[in-house]
Amino acid sequence: MLTMAAFEAADLAAEREVVKAYARVAQPDEDVLIEGLVATALLLGEAFTRRIGLAREAVEVLPCSATWTRLGAAPVRAITAVEGLPADGAAFLLPVEAYAIDIDADGAGWVRVTAPGAAGRVRVTYQAGLASGWEALPEPLRQGAVRLATHLYAHRDAADEQAPPAAVAALWRPWRRVQV
């Protein structure tokens, strides 16, 4: 099970202002709505590209295995903790010699547990994401998120289903990772 932390408020606010300018929205009473649409656009971008855009903490629970297990979010920036989860009792930090971690050239994170002790599962905490903040996100990913959030804003009350602009997929497609 993978859990991702929420986006940083500063990143959402920065993109909100770009979307407001792009959509020519001046009134501040739309800020909460637009921030929600911004978060949705960023999450849809991550789902489409199969990459985490804005870096944030991920926590993943995996079965203990002596074989390498790939982490669910990528690209991984750092693996910060590996905890054992016993069937009964509290989580405990695994000693460093009880597991191995790796981050490959493609940004995939890997974990294997060689001496689980009482743990049947492990909880791995790590940082994943392409960019440390909104301004550092590659321009095609930013522009796709802005266009999608603007589209969602403009068509929020539409009775008919309006498909997102094709330009959004065109901007994101080069960043897409295909799993085989």
Side-chain angles (χ1 to χ4, degrees), residues 34 56 75 78 83 97 111 123 154 167:
I34 292 173
R56 54 198 193 278
E83 298 172 285
E97 62 275 1
V111 176
R123 179 171 45 216

Side-chain angles (χ1 to χ4, degrees), residues 9-166:
D11 291 326
L12 291 178
E15 186 179 355
R16 178 196 68 220
E17 293 307 312
V18 174
V19 168
K20 283 176 68 173
Y22 192 80
R24 296 183 180 101
V25 175
Q27 60 272 24
D29 57 334
E30 299 284 298
D31 287 1
V32 173
L33 170 65
I34 292 173
E35 275 192 26
L37 297 174
V38 160
T40 298
L42 289 169
L43 289 170
L44 288 170
E46 290 178 351
F48 182 85
T49 62
R50 294 185 183 97
R51 291 177 164 201
I52 302 301
L54 296 174
R56 54 198 193 278
E57 184 177 84
V59 178
E60 192 165 354
V61 176
L62 304 167
C64 283
S65 175
T67 61
W68 288 100
T69 303
R70 185 181 183 141
L71 297 174
V76 173
R77 297 171 144 237
I79 299 172
T80 56
V82 179
E83 298 172 285
L85 298 173
D88 295 324
F92 59 93
L93 283 176
L94 282 175
V96 174
E97 62 275 1
Y99 65 91
I101 57 175
D102 188 30
I103 302 172
D104 67 22
D106 289 330
W110 298 86
V111 176
R112 71 178 178 154
V113 180
T114 54
R121 299 174 301 149
V122 290
R123 179 171 45 216
V124 182
T125 304
Y126 57 102
Q127 292 289 321
L130 288 167
S132 57
W134 170 251
E135 293 299 324
L137 196 63
E139 187 62 30
L141 298 176
R142 283 194 348 225
Q143 189 57 231
V146 167
R147 286 178 154 234
L148 182 55
T150 303
H151 170 80
L152 294 172
Y153 177 78
H155 298 282
R156 68 191 178 282
D157 294 326
D160 58 335
E161 292 291 322
Q162 289 284 330

